[in-house]
Structure formats: C-alpha cells, structure tokens
Amino acid sequence: MGRADRDTLGWVALALLAFGLLAWFLWPFLGNGARFPLGPDGPVYLWWARLAGLDGLSVVGARPGVPALALVLQGTLGLSVVQSLVALEVGLGVATGLAAAALVRRQAPIGGWVLAGVLAGTFAVHLASGYLANLAMVATFLAASALIDLGGRRAAIVAAVVFAAGGLAHPPFFLIGAVILLGAAALAWRGGRDSAVRIAGAVAGAGAVVGIGLLAVMPGPNGLDVDTSKDAFLRRAGLTAELRSAYLDRFVHRWTRYVQWVSVPLAVVGFAVARGPAGRILRSWLLVTGAGVAIALVTGWVPADRFITFGFAVPILAALGLVRVWLSFERRRALAVVVTGALVVAMLAGAGIAWNRQQPFLSEDEVDAVTIANGAIVGEVARGTPLAFLVNEPDATVSFLATRAGNVIRAGVPPDRIRDVVVVVPPAEGGGSTERVALEHLTRQDLENAEARAGRPATVFVLTPFDPVDRPPDARIIDPPVKDAFHIDPLEPSSAIGVVWASVAALLLFGVVGFGWATIGTCDRLAAAATAPAVGGAMLIAAAVALDALGVRIGTTAGALAASALAGLGGYLVRAILERRVRTGAAPEIEEQPAE
C-alpha cells in the first residue's frame, strides 16, 4: 500500500472513529430519552453557567473553564444552557477519544491508534456523566501530550496553553497532570535532554498561564459558599469518618466497572512497548495513577475512584498491549480476530453498561415545581429576601437529597435570585442520625445567616418533589402539575433533535477553532485534526477567560462571538505569520520530532 493510500485510509479511519464516538455519547439522549445533562454535577454546572452569564466568571471561583465554555457555546451557536452542557458532555467525550488516538499515532499502525481512541473515548463515560471539569482536563491533557510528542518548541508552546486551559477547568487535576509530565521529563533526561527540557518548559509555561488566569477572574462578584455535593457537606460538617467511609464504599462498588480485569494486564504489556515522549508520558501516568489510588485509600484525603477515572493511561496502554497480542497471533488470523475481539468486548462492556445507566439528576417534575415557584418569587417576593426551600424525606440522612435539591433549585430560579436560595432540612421526629442532625444544624445556621444579611425574614417554600413530608402553614406549597400556571424563566429540557444539533455543532466549532492552532507545531495534518477538538475547546476557554478579565461579559451573544473569533482566527493568523517567516527565511521550518 502506497503512502497516499495509507493517508486516505487514515483519514477514513479518523472519521469513522469520530462518528462512532459521537453515536456512543449520544446514546443516553437518543436511546434512553435523557433531556437534561447527565450525572450528579449536571445541575451544578447549570446554575454555575446561569450565574456566570449574569455576574461574570468570578462567581465560579477557581474553576471558570467549563462555565466559560458553556457560555461561549450558548452565545455562538444560539443554544440554551441545557443544550450547551449536554453538548459539552458529548463533544468533550469525543474529543478525548480523538486526542488519545493522536497521542499514540506514532506508536502503532492505523488499527492500533484507532483502538486507543475507542478504548479511551468509551472510558470517558465515567467523566462525561456530569464531571465536566475533569473531562475538560483529560481532553486537554491528552491533546497537549500529543502535541509534545509530535512537534518541537512551537508545539510545546501550544501544548502549554492547551494544558493551562484544562487547569482553568480543574486546578487540582492540573497539578496531577503536571506531576505526570514532570515524571515523563525525568524519564527522558538520560536519553534526550532536549525532550526533557521541552516537557518541563511546557509544564512551567502552563503553570504560569493558570496562575494568571485564576488571578484575572478574581475581581468581580464573589461566588456562593454552598454545598454542591454530599461530600462537600460532610467536609463542612467535620464528619471525617463518614466522608472516608463514603470514599471507600464508592471505590469498592465501582472500581470493577472503571478498569476491567482484562485492561490491566494488557496495559502492563503496553507499558513495556510504548516509546518516545508519548510512551514516557503514558508510563508516568500509569505510575502516578497507581500511587494516587494507594495514597487515597490509605489516607482518605480524596476519593480513590477519582484517580481511576483520570487514569486514561490504562485503556491507551491496553490498546498498545492488544496490538502486541494481535501480532503474536498474526499467522493465525482467525484466532487473532477471536482473541482480540473478545478482549475488546470485555473492555467495552463495563463502560457500556455504566453509560447506558446514566440519567440526569433532575427530573421534569422537579424543574416544573421550581418554575411554578418562580411566579411567586418574581411577582411577590422582594429581591434580596432569602428563599428558604424545605427539603425532607423519610431517609435517615437526607444529605444527598438536600445537596441535590439545592443544585436543582438554583438551576431553575431566575439567575438574579440564585444567591437568595437557602435549603433547610427540618428536624426529624425522634431525632436522627449524626449526619442528619449535623445537616439540620448547618442548614438552620445558613438560614439564620441569610436572614441576618438581608435584614428580613425568609419566604418559605415547599416543593413536593423535594419534600413530601412537611406542610407548615406559613409556607408556599408547590405541588405540580399545576394547571394554568404561569411559567417564568423556565429551565427547558432539550429535545432529541436539539441534543444532536448542539453536540454536532459544538464538535465542529471545537474542530474549526482548534485546527489552526494544532497545525502550528506539527506537519502531521491527520494528528492535528485528531487533536483539534480538544485544542479548540482549550483555546475557547483561554479566550473567554481573557475577555472576561477585560470586562467583556461572555454571557452575551457579542461576548461569546468575540471569544470564538479570538480563539479561532488567532490560530490561523499565527500559523500564517509563521509560515510567511519560514518562506522568507526569518524562522526555521516546523521541527518534527523523530519517532523512536
């Protein structure tokens, strides 16, 4: 097969990979009828994006990346907040698989790097189910690593910005990514100091950009100091033993679906055969993942399963290990097909089952109840008055429902009333568990503090989807469905067609924006196309944060379009300038890294 034929086959394979991953990530929305973002953090990002659109990125504190990206998609593509976040779950999932394929493009034949994209992309369902900051971090980290592997200094500079954008989405995992890359630099020190210096330089540059970006979004309205998860509540209540027990229980019940038994042995095989900068990064990543899980289990400081869901070195190295298995059976093609096919199915099964079970953590009845309450809030309750929502259920702890209800209610009320929402858990008859009593105390304290700040008593609401128990006489009872209710500023679910349109449009936007930047550091157009969606998402985050720091509100159509134009046109302009300098002899040609 000639080079032209191989190139054509490579483009066809990349297109099929992208289409297959797109269909995979759309399944819960098309096959299972989901109409809101999936996962427990979906409602959090909904109210973060709505509040950031009103007050700026300062309100989300140290994680401005995903709300910024959601606002850019809203304004540029004309999407609702629900559509934009669904599009991020789908688009960033696809971008993760494509970037993984680019990372090992020089490690394996076409079938090998496509398989790496399939395994890494499907593994991303564990983050696409609501953990968007982690997913953005993974996608950008993989793309940055691929650029480091493919190119020289120019690619390393672009990689630093891409990696930094991931850090603006999730700073803690940026630090883990930095440890991984520095480990790869240490592995490269003996064999190639230029490579080690380039990787370390990219980490240092990315760290500087993250620091500047986080400082830039600090001026402005403060964020809300509220519990967005049960873990956050347990931490605030000082229930350390309960928090560690929850971490351990989560790990015991979920770890087998995260990393199937067959993946780890194959990853060990891949560990031995991976080479070059990409191989060093993957080996360092695998070691950091193992160490992170062990430290988390021993100390209980963080959930061990977070390291597992970030451990994409396992499926990528498993793909390289599977290529070695295929080659060992090469003379017996039928047996090779059966063995490798069975192993692939085994590795996909856990992710497939987990993804098929994913549901939004808010229902249409719950959203309707909040929307109906908006009529009373907007029409009758003075702005600044605390809005106390009672949350209760027969469960002994009620902590998960309380934090989830707070997120759903904040996502559903008008953006200018989000700060007024207070969740209150009434006392249980006959007492309750330690966790329940702590929650009752903290929420009562939250209400008292809110009333003291406002200088007036709260207006009390009971939404029956969140409290089927209490009916205090002074509360406004909302029991949907309510006929002829006047819906104010409703949080509308997306249609199936709306999900498809938003996801495809977002993926195309990411790709178009990112391709110019991705081609700055490498001559490999196929690899650049594979990294382009992740690179494009990163550059949109960087542009949005920069414009927000300059006073441009990304929550407006003009601000979102400005961010898209700055990110998209900037890459092609920089590339054109560099190509002109190369033609005139003022700059060297692109420095492509040799395959090892």
Side-chain angles (χ1 to χ4, degrees):
M1 182 183 295
R3 178 169 182 175
D5 292 333
R6 286 197 303 272
D7 289 345
T8 300
L9 184 59
W11 283 104
V12 171
L14 183 64
L16 290 175
L17 174 62
F19 180 80
L21 290 175
L22 180 64
W24 171 277
F25 282 101
L26 284 172
W27 170 253
F29 306 99
L30 302 185
N32 296 339
R35 294 293 178 263
F36 288 104
L38 304 175
D41 283 0
V44 180
Y45 288 110
L46 284 171
W47 73 259
W48 274 6
R50 298 189 86 191
L51 188 59
L54 177 69
D55 289 341
L57 296 178
S58 63
V59 299
V60 291
R63 295 189 184 183
V66 169
L69 198 51
L71 292 174
V72 170
L73 291 184
Q74 278 185 258
T76 302
L77 302 175
L79 305 177
S80 69
V81 65
V82 170
Q83 287 177 311
S84 67
L85 287 168
V86 168
L88 287 181
E89 291 183 334
V90 175
L92 290 176
V94 176
T96 297
L98 296 179
L103 179 60
V104 295
R105 171 156 159 72
R106 300 195 301 170
Q107 304 281 323
I110 291 176
W113 58 257
V114 168
L115 183 58
V118 169
L119 295 181
T122 54
F123 185 75
V125 300
H126 303 299
L127 297 180
S129 55
Y131 304 108
L132 285 172
N134 300 69
L135 184 60
M137 181 64 238
V138 165
T140 53
F141 181 72
L142 284 167
S145 299
L147 291 173
I148 289 172
D149 179 70
L150 292 165
R153 285 175 294 176
R154 293 180 189 173
I157 293 172
V158 176
V161 179
V162 172
F163 183 32
L168 293 173
H170 203 300
F173 273 92
F174 170 82
L175 297 177
I176 296 173
V179 171
I180 293 169
L181 290 179
L182 291 176
L187 293 174
W189 185 253
R190 286 187 178 182
R193 294 193 176 185
D194 288 344
S195 176
V197 170
R198 189 171 66 254
I199 295 173
V203 173
V209 174
V210 170
I212 293 171
L214 294 179
L215 289 174
V217 298
M218 286 181 64
N222 294 327
L224 276 68
D225 186 15
V226 297
D227 299 325
T228 57
S229 67
K230 179 177 178 177
D231 291 356
F233 152 67
L234 292 175
R235 196 175 296 113
R236 181 163 72 109
L239 299 175
T240 306
E242 287 81 354
L243 182 61
R244 291 184 176 183
S245 176
Y247 287 165
L248 182 60
D249 182 72
R250 202 176 303 163
F251 174 78
V252 169
H253 287 88
R254 297 181 182 178
W255 78 274
T256 51
R257 77 183 186 191
Y258 289 147
V259 182
Q260 294 76 35
W261 287 98
V262 70
S263 300
V264 176
L266 287 171
V268 172
V269 176
F271 185 95
V273 301
R275 63 190 187 278
R280 298 185 190 102
I281 292 171
L282 290 169
R283 286 195 291 272
S284 176
W285 197 342
L286 189 63
L287 294 173
V288 170
T289 298
V293 170
I295 293 172
L297 289 175
V298 171
T299 64
W301 293 338
V302 293
D305 64 326
R306 286 299 183 92
F307 284 95
I308 295 177
T309 56
F310 190 74
F312 280 74
V314 174
I316 297 172
L317 287 172
L320 297 181
L322 202 56
V323 171
R324 178 57 62 93
V325 171
W326 173 274
L327 292 176
S328 67
F329 289 104
E330 191 171 17
R331 294 183 180 181
R332 305 174 66 181
R333 185 58 59 89
L335 183 60
V337 171
V338 171
V339 171
T340 56
L343 292 173
V344 170
V345 170
M347 286 186 282
L348 294 179
I353 293 171
W355 191 231
N356 187 56
R357 291 175 177 172
Q358 291 302 322
Q359 296 290 334
F361 273 57
L362 66 169
S363 69
E364 293 191 31
D365 281 347
E366 292 168 347
V367 174
D368 282 346
V370 180
T371 304
I372 294 167
N374 287 348
I377 292 171
V378 173
E380 305 173 27
V381 182
R383 187 169 296 176
T385 301
L387 308 172
F389 290 85
L390 301 189
V391 177
N392 203 353
E393 65 176 353
D395 183 84
T397 61
V398 80
S399 51
F400 180 78
L401 175 63
T403 51
R404 186 178 71 81
N407 291 325
V408 175
I409 293 167
R410 291 185 182 94
V413 301
D416 62 345
R417 307 306 293 268
I418 290 175
R419 295 179 180 276
D420 298 332
V421 172
V422 182
V423 170
V424 179
V425 176
E429 294 185 8
S433 66
T434 301
E435 187 175 321
R436 167 97 191 203
V437 171
L439 183 60
E440 293 169 1
H441 171 72
L442 286 179
T443 58
R444 184 170 63 251
Q445 194 175 63
D446 291 339
L447 178 60
E448 292 172 355
N449 293 339
E451 290 178 329
R453 288 193 301 269
R456 68 190 81 164
T459 300
V460 181
F461 289 86
V462 174
L463 311 185
T464 56
F466 296 119
D467 188 350
V469 178
D470 301 291
R471 295 294 182 271
D474 60 338
R476 298 169 186 261
I477 312 297
I478 308 295
D479 188 12
V482 177
K483 293 183 178 180
D484 303 323
F486 182 56
H487 288 197
I488 295 177
D489 198 9
L491 186 69
E492 297 283 0
S494 179
S495 65
I497 294 176
V499 168
V500 174
W501 149 245
S503 302
V504 172
L507 194 58
L508 290 174
L509 176 64
F510 292 164
V512 170
V513 169
F515 188 71
W517 293 104
T519 52
I520 287 175
T522 177
C523 296
D524 189 338
R525 291 294 189 264
L526 183 60
T531 60
V535 172
M539 292 304 178
L540 288 171
I541 290 174
V545 169
L547 290 176
D548 180 85
L550 295 174
V552 178
R553 281 290 174 259
I554 309 303
T556 64
T557 300
L561 288 172
S564 294
L566 177 61
L569 298 178
Y572 294 100
L573 178 61
V574 171
R575 189 183 73 179
I577 292 172
L578 291 174
E579 289 178 346
R580 182 177 180 181
R581 294 187 66 197
V582 169
R583 288 195 299 269
T584 59
E589 295 185 6
I590 291 176
E591 179 189 353
E592 197 79 12
Q593 289 301 301
E596 296 181 21

Short mmCIF file of all heavy atoms in Angstrom, two decimals, residues 153-187:
data_model
loop_
_atom_site.label_atom_id
_atom_site.label_comp_id
_atom_site.label_asym_id
_atom_site.label_seq_id
_atom_site.Cartn_x
_atom_site.Cartn_y
_atom_site.Cartn_z
N ARG A 153 9.55 22.96 19.59
CA ARG A 153 9.29 24.06 20.52
C ARG A 153 7.95 24.73 20.28
O ARG A 153 7.25 25.10 21.22
CB ARG A 153 10.42 25.08 20.41
CG ARG A 153 11.72 24.62 21.08
CD ARG A 153 12.83 25.60 20.84
NE ARG A 153 13.20 25.65 19.42
CZ ARG A 153 14.11 26.48 18.92
NH1 ARG A 153 14.74 27.33 19.71
NH2 ARG A 153 14.41 26.46 17.64
N ARG A 154 7.58 24.93 19.01
CA ARG A 154 6.29 25.56 18.73
C ARG A 154 5.15 24.72 19.27
O ARG A 154 4.21 25.24 19.88
CB ARG A 154 6.12 25.74 17.21
CG ARG A 154 7.08 26.74 16.59
CD ARG A 154 6.82 26.82 15.12
NE ARG A 154 7.83 27.60 14.42
CZ ARG A 154 7.91 27.72 13.10
NH1 ARG A 154 7.03 27.10 12.34
NH2 ARG A 154 8.86 28.44 12.55
N ALA A 155 5.24 23.42 19.04
CA ALA A 155 4.19 22.53 19.55
C ALA A 155 4.14 22.57 21.06
O ALA A 155 3.05 22.52 21.65
CB ALA A 155 4.43 21.11 19.05
N ALA A 156 5.30 22.67 21.71
CA ALA A 156 5.34 22.71 23.17
C ALA A 156 4.68 23.98 23.70
O ALA A 156 4.01 23.96 24.75
CB ALA A 156 6.78 22.61 23.66
N ILE A 157 4.84 25.08 22.98
CA ILE A 157 4.21 26.33 23.41
C ILE A 157 2.69 26.22 23.31
O ILE A 157 1.95 26.61 24.22
CB ILE A 157 4.73 27.51 22.55
CG1 ILE A 157 6.22 27.75 22.85
CG2 ILE A 157 3.92 28.77 22.83
CD1 ILE A 157 6.88 28.75 21.92
N VAL A 158 2.21 25.69 22.18
CA VAL A 158 0.76 25.49 22.03
C VAL A 158 0.27 24.51 23.10
O VAL A 158 -0.78 24.72 23.72
CB VAL A 158 0.42 24.98 20.62
CG1 VAL A 158 -1.07 24.68 20.51
CG2 VAL A 158 0.84 25.99 19.57
N ALA A 159 1.05 23.46 23.34
CA ALA A 159 0.67 22.46 24.35
C ALA A 159 0.55 23.10 25.72
O ALA A 159 -0.35 22.74 26.51
CB ALA A 159 1.69 21.34 24.38
N ALA A 160 1.42 24.04 26.04
CA ALA A 160 1.37 24.70 27.34
C ALA A 160 0.06 25.46 27.52
O ALA A 160 -0.57 25.40 28.59
CB ALA A 160 2.56 25.65 27.50
N VAL A 161 -0.38 26.16 26.47
CA VAL A 161 -1.64 26.91 26.55
C VAL A 161 -2.83 25.95 26.66
O VAL A 161 -3.76 26.17 27.44
CB VAL A 161 -1.81 27.84 25.33
CG1 VAL A 161 -3.13 28.59 25.41
CG2 VAL A 161 -0.65 28.82 25.25
N VAL A 162 -2.79 24.88 25.88
CA VAL A 162 -3.87 23.89 25.92
C VAL A 162 -3.96 23.25 27.30
O VAL A 162 -5.04 23.11 27.89
CB VAL A 162 -3.65 22.81 24.83
CG1 VAL A 162 -4.65 21.67 24.98
CG2 VAL A 162 -3.76 23.43 23.45
N PHE A 163 -2.83 22.85 27.84
CA PHE A 163 -2.78 22.25 29.17
C PHE A 163 -3.27 23.24 30.23
O PHE A 163 -4.00 22.88 31.16
CB PHE A 163 -1.35 21.80 29.45
CG PHE A 163 -1.14 21.10 30.77
CD1 PHE A 163 -2.13 20.32 31.35
CD2 PHE A 163 0.08 21.21 31.44
CE1 PHE A 163 -1.93 19.67 32.56
CE2 PHE A 163 0.29 20.57 32.64
CZ PHE A 163 -0.72 19.81 33.21
N ALA A 164 -2.88 24.51 30.08
CA ALA A 164 -3.30 25.53 31.03
C ALA A 164 -4.82 25.71 31.02
O ALA A 164 -5.44 25.91 32.07
CB ALA A 164 -2.62 26.85 30.71
N ALA A 165 -5.43 25.64 29.84
CA ALA A 165 -6.89 25.77 29.76
C ALA A 165 -7.56 24.65 30.54
O ALA A 165 -8.58 24.86 31.21
CB ALA A 165 -7.33 25.76 28.30
N GLY A 166 -6.99 23.44 30.47
CA GLY A 166 -7.50 22.36 31.29
C GLY A 166 -7.36 22.68 32.77
O GLY A 166 -8.24 22.34 33.58
N GLY A 167 -6.26 23.34 33.14
CA GLY A 167 -6.07 23.73 34.52
C GLY A 167 -7.09 24.75 34.98
O GLY A 167 -7.48 24.76 36.15
N LEU A 168 -7.54 25.62 34.08
CA LEU A 168 -8.59 26.58 34.42
C LEU A 168 -9.94 25.89 34.62
O LEU A 168 -10.84 26.45 35.23
CB LEU A 168 -8.70 27.66 33.34
CG LEU A 168 -7.49 28.59 33.22
CD1 LEU A 168 -7.63 29.50 32.01
CD2 LEU A 168 -7.33 29.43 34.49
N ALA A 169 -10.08 24.70 34.07
CA ALA A 169 -11.29 23.91 34.31
C ALA A 169 -11.21 23.16 35.63
O ALA A 169 -12.19 23.10 36.38
CB ALA A 169 -11.52 22.93 33.15
N HIS A 170 -10.03 22.60 35.94
CA HIS A 170 -9.90 21.80 37.17
C HIS A 170 -8.47 21.90 37.69
O HIS A 170 -7.62 21.06 37.39
CB HIS A 170 -10.24 20.33 36.88
CG HIS A 170 -10.67 19.58 38.10
ND1 HIS A 170 -9.87 19.42 39.21
CD2 HIS A 170 -11.83 18.93 38.40
CE1 HIS A 170 -10.51 18.71 40.12
NE2 HIS A 170 -11.70 18.40 39.67
N PRO A 171 -8.17 22.92 38.52
CA PRO A 171 -6.81 23.11 39.03
C PRO A 171 -6.22 21.92 39.77
O PRO A 171 -5.03 21.61 39.58
CB PRO A 171 -6.94 24.34 39.93
CG PRO A 171 -8.10 25.09 39.39
CD PRO A 171 -9.06 24.02 38.91
N PRO A 172 -6.96 21.20 40.64
CA PRO A 172 -6.33 20.06 41.33
C PRO A 172 -5.81 19.00 40.37
O PRO A 172 -4.71 18.46 40.56
CB PRO A 172 -7.45 19.52 42.22
CG PRO A 172 -8.34 20.69 42.47
CD PRO A 172 -8.32 21.46 41.19
N PHE A 173 -6.56 18.68 39.35
CA PHE A 173 -6.09 17.67 38.40
C PHE A 173 -5.05 18.24 37.44
O PHE A 173 -4.29 17.49 36.83
CB PHE A 173 -7.25 17.05 37.64
CG PHE A 173 -7.85 15.89 38.38
CD1 PHE A 173 -8.92 16.07 39.25
CD2 PHE A 173 -7.34 14.62 38.24
CE1 PHE A 173 -9.45 15.03 39.96
CE2 PHE A 173 -7.86 13.55 38.94
CZ PHE A 173 -8.92 13.75 39.81
N PHE A 174 -4.98 19.56 37.33
CA PHE A 174 -3.85 20.16 36.61
C PHE A 174 -2.55 19.82 37.34
O PHE A 174 -1.53 19.52 36.70
CB PHE A 174 -4.03 21.67 36.52
CG PHE A 174 -2.81 22.39 36.00
CD1 PHE A 174 -2.56 22.46 34.64
CD2 PHE A 174 -1.89 22.97 36.88
CE1 PHE A 174 -1.43 23.11 34.15
CE2 PHE A 174 -0.77 23.61 36.40
CZ PHE A 174 -0.53 23.69 35.03
N LEU A 175 -2.57 19.87 38.66
CA LEU A 175 -1.37 19.53 39.43
C LEU A 175 -0.98 18.07 39.22
O LEU A 175 0.22 17.75 39.10
CB LEU A 175 -1.60 19.80 40.91
CG LEU A 175 -1.87 21.27 41.29
CD1 LEU A 175 -2.16 21.39 42.78
CD2 LEU A 175 -0.69 22.15 40.90
N ILE A 176 -1.97 17.19 39.15
CA ILE A 176 -1.67 15.77 38.88
C ILE A 176 -1.08 15.62 37.48
O ILE A 176 -0.11 14.89 37.28
CB ILE A 176 -2.94 14.93 39.04
CG1 ILE A 176 -3.42 14.97 40.49
CG2 ILE A 176 -2.68 13.48 38.60
CD1 ILE A 176 -4.75 14.31 40.72
N GLY A 177 -1.66 16.33 36.51
CA GLY A 177 -1.11 16.30 35.16
C GLY A 177 0.32 16.82 35.11
O GLY A 177 1.17 16.29 34.38
N ALA A 178 0.60 17.87 35.90
CA ALA A 178 1.95 18.40 35.94
C ALA A 178 2.93 17.38 36.51
O ALA A 178 4.05 17.23 36.01
CB ALA A 178 1.98 19.68 36.78
N VAL A 179 2.51 16.64 37.54
CA VAL A 179 3.37 15.59 38.09
C VAL A 179 3.64 14.52 37.04
O VAL A 179 4.77 14.02 36.91
CB VAL A 179 2.70 14.97 39.35
CG1 VAL A 179 3.47 13.73 39.81
CG2 VAL A 179 2.65 16.00 40.47
N ILE A 180 2.62 14.16 36.28
CA ILE A 180 2.79 13.15 35.23
C ILE A 180 3.81 13.62 34.19
O ILE A 180 4.72 12.88 33.80
CB ILE A 180 1.44 12.85 34.56
CG1 ILE A 180 0.50 12.15 35.55
CG2 ILE A 180 1.62 12.00 33.30
CD1 ILE A 180 -0.94 12.06 35.08
N LEU A 181 3.67 14.84 33.73
CA LEU A 181 4.59 15.35 32.70
C LEU A 181 6.00 15.52 33.25
O LEU A 181 6.98 15.23 32.55
CB LEU A 181 4.07 16.68 32.15
CG LEU A 181 2.81 16.59 31.28
CD1 LEU A 181 2.40 17.98 30.81
CD2 LEU A 181 3.04 15.68 30.08
N LEU A 182 6.13 15.96 34.48
CA LEU A 182 7.46 16.07 35.06
C LEU A 182 8.09 14.70 35.25
O LEU A 182 9.31 14.53 35.11
CB LEU A 182 7.39 16.82 36.40
CG LEU A 182 7.04 18.31 36.29
CD1 LEU A 182 6.90 18.93 37.68
CD2 LEU A 182 8.10 19.07 35.48
N GLY A 183 7.26 13.70 35.56
CA GLY A 183 7.78 12.33 35.61
C GLY A 183 8.27 11.88 34.25
O GLY A 183 9.32 11.21 34.14
N ALA A 184 7.55 12.24 33.19
CA ALA A 184 7.99 11.90 31.84
C ALA A 184 9.29 12.62 31.49
O ALA A 184 10.17 12.06 30.83
CB ALA A 184 6.90 12.27 30.83
N ALA A 185 9.41 13.87 31.95
CA ALA A 185 10.65 14.61 31.71
C ALA A 185 11.83 13.94 32.41
O ALA A 185 12.93 13.86 31.86
CB ALA A 185 10.49 16.06 32.18
N ALA A 186 11.59 13.45 33.63
CA ALA A 186 12.65 12.75 34.35
C ALA A 186 13.05 11.47 33.62
O ALA A 186 14.25 11.14 33.53
CB ALA A 186 12.18 12.43 35.77
N LEU A 187 12.07 10.76 33.07
CA LEU A 187 12.38 9.55 32.31
C LEU A 187 13.16 9.85 31.04
O LEU A 187 13.93 9.02 30.57
CB LEU A 187 11.08 8.81 31.96
CG LEU A 187 10.28 8.20 33.12
CD1 LEU A 187 8.96 7.63 32.63
CD2 LEU A 187 11.10 7.11 33.81
#
